[in-house]
Amino acid sequence: MIDIAYLRERRDELAASVARRGFEIDLDALDEIDRARRLARSESEEVRNKQNTIGKSIAALQGKEREAAIQEAGQFATRYKALLGSADDLDEKFNALWTTLPNMTDPTAADGFEEDDAVEISRYLDPTVFSFEPKDHVDLGVPLGIVDIERATKMSGSRFGMIKGKLALYEMALTRWTMDMLSGHGFTPILPPVLVRESALYGTGFFPGDRAQVYSVEQDDLYLVGTSEVPLAAMHGDEIFDEESLPLRYVGFSTCFRVEAGTYGKDTRGMFRVHQFDKTEMFSFVHPDASRDEHDFLLEREEELVRALEIPYRVMNVAAGDLGSSAAKKYDIEAWFPGQGRYREITSTSNTTDFQARRLRIRFKDDRGENRFVHTLNGTAIAMGRTLIALMENHQQEDGTIRVPEALVPYTGFDTLDAR
RNA sequence: GGAGGGGUCGCAUAGUCUGGCCUAGUGCGCGCGCCUGGAAAGCGCGUAUGUGGAAACGCAUCGAGGGUUCGAAUCCCUCCCCCUCCGCCA
């Protein structure tokens, strides 16, 4: 949800933002509804005030006077109900439209509407060069006995994978390493619930838009999260922070579940796009003036991690029209995947400004004692599935084994992924 | 799964039976002031959220939504949530 002041006082900015996303809405009509509902509201309140005033006097009255007052108050009560009804109807009409609006777009977000419109802003290392024909993660992992797609499919169907042996230990090591790296930067590690209520998904902006991408557990009316961003954000819902307690930074670890509806035929090989994977995720609650810097900070953390993993990558400024509804601006890190011969997304960091904070009512008390919305940001630390694939494919050796980057060796306890 | 107890302005509670003096009391916490050499204690004042308004002020909110009534924290209906005990269980 965005600040209604944009509609009332800064309509041009709002129109420009919406246009950059390719989102269509009639702002003039919306403004008219807003005016009408405010008028209806204040009319109803005036009548209510009169009704209240008379109503209070009734207790002290007797006999005829009392009867007359009840009569009069009754008339106001009837009028009030009618006026209140129309004010409520207008509110509902307004909100139905207003809540579909995507966040205000950051002026520095790239122009365009599609994935291909993203603008590359930096690059690290060149695509890995091999003296032999590189394999992809399936051809590497299956012979080593560290990846098993067939059996995962047998149990669970397509888009599932199974990680075994040293690769399983590798993931554990990566997780712990990420937690250590980020807690060193002031992020508090969290292992959140992965089943959440509907309100958590609305609050973070995934509902109603992405409903089809989320698994639901009907038995208890809960939903499996696609990212720990959801619980990390929603856990502070309805809270008011002291200004001094900001920024608040968390790194969550959770399994992530995604329906991947509408991706049939896309990335069907191996474990690149699966229904279930593990991910460490950064999440920040910050002062509104600090969110731009925090976004850079999160990107720096992501780059720091990927660099330590010795994976070639490029950083992309995602096009305005390709942003999710809650993001004002988003950077993707795309890693080089030798098996695919191209760059693919492995992390993503978004500045959602006050969009989620408004929906979740997360505020802070500023130095004048006023409650203001915080800004929230999220960023992938390590998405295990894809990162393991990138590590396998980039660090493969001619004999089919896989080298472990130096930074990770203290965590894995081995320096090579092999069959043993 | 079974049985019971609850959701009130940061926290803890009063109020609900018997509708109107609830404009929601009290304690704790927090802030400011007085007092003091300084502090503690004590005393005084203030201290929920949203919304409309330039402001004065109004309106709404006692888990949520409906209903009864001139009037609902209080009565009625539906739903949600939390807790305790028993059972089961990593």
Side-chain angles (χ1 to χ4, degrees), chain A residues 101-174:
Chain A
L101 272 186
N103 198 3
M104 290 296 291
T105 313
D106 189 299
T108 61
D111 287 319
F113 302 99
E114 291 167 24
E115 193 179 339
D116 291 343
D117 293 323
V119 172
E120 179 176 322
I121 56 176
S122 70
R123 201 175 262 248
Y124 177 76
L125 299 179
D126 292 322
T128 316
V129 176
F130 297 93
S131 58
F132 53 92
E133 188 61 31
K135 298 171 177 164
D136 77 359
H137 71 282
V138 179
D139 289 338
L140 282 165
V142 172
L144 291 174
I146 58 177
V147 166
D148 192 339
I149 311 286
E150 267 180 41
R151 290 198 177 92
T153 306
K154 180 166 70 181
M155 297 183 283
S156 307
S158 65
R159 291 214 187 285
F160 281 92
M162 187 151 55
I163 293 168
K164 308 199 295 188
K166 280 189 171 176
L167 194 59
L169 299 178
Y170 202 0
E171 174 177 321
M172 300 276 164
L174 261 174

Side-chain angles (χ1 to χ4, degrees), chain A residues 167-177 278 384 388 411:
Chain A
L167 194 59
L169 299 178
Y170 202 0
E171 174 177 321
M172 300 276 164
L174 261 174
T175 304
R176 179 57 201 263
W177 170 73
D278 297 326
M384 294 303 159
L388 289 175
Y411 286 84

